[in-house]
């Protein structure tokens, strides 16, 4: 089973990773970093390694635009169930998107979550709990 999470934005955006944390004790936590095969970037993205707080080896950043630059995560979820989804980003001198739109596709449909990425930097930020 795959979950789909897509991100589109119109202002400067920075991404590091997504994590799916299962509510079932027997299921494993699923991390999808921007360097993972399950992450697809469309458009122009810069690699960021000079700012601390990213997950694994780097983060990616894209300049303000039309919303055509997107990041899509398609994690392989081996166990059907309820997962809490978190995202992580790093600070970019108050130039991060104030309206980063995460679109999570799950069993019940899709949910859009708008995030101000100038806040809650360098932490796992909860986007919601969904069944996949």
């Amino acid at each position: 089973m795959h979950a789909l999470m897509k991100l589109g934005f119109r202002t400067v955006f920075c991404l590091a990773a997504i994590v799916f944390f299962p509510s079932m004790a027997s299921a494993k936590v699923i991390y999808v970093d921007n360097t993972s095969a399950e992450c697809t970037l469309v458009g122009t993205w810069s690699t960021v390694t000079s700012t601390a707080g990213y997950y694994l080896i780097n983060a990616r950043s894209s300049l303000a635009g039309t919303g055509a630059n997107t990041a899509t995560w398609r994690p392989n979820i081996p166990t059907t169930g309820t997962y809490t989804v978190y995202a992580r980003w790093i600070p970019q001198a108050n130039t991060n998107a104030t309206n980063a739109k995460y679109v999570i596709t799950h069993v019940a449909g899709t949910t859009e979550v708008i995030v101000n990425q100038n806040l809650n930097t360098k932490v796992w930020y909860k986007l919601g709990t969904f069944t996949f």
Side-chain angles (χ1 to χ4, degrees), residues 52-114:
Y54 52 81
Y55 179 72
L56 293 181
I57 62 171
N58 64 34
R60 301 299 295 265
S61 181
S62 182
L63 297 176
T66 63
N69 292 343
T70 61
T72 302
W73 293 269
R74 290 182 185 269
N76 182 17
I77 299 180
T79 305
T80 300
T82 302
Y83 292 77
T84 302
V85 179
Y86 296 86
R88 185 179 182 100
W89 52 88
I90 59 174
Q92 293 287 295
N94 282 332
T95 61
N96 281 357
T98 58
N99 62 342
K101 179 171 68 169
Y102 291 83
V103 180
I104 300 103
T105 302
H106 46 84
V107 170
T110 60
T111 300
E112 291 184 3
V113 180
I114 306 298

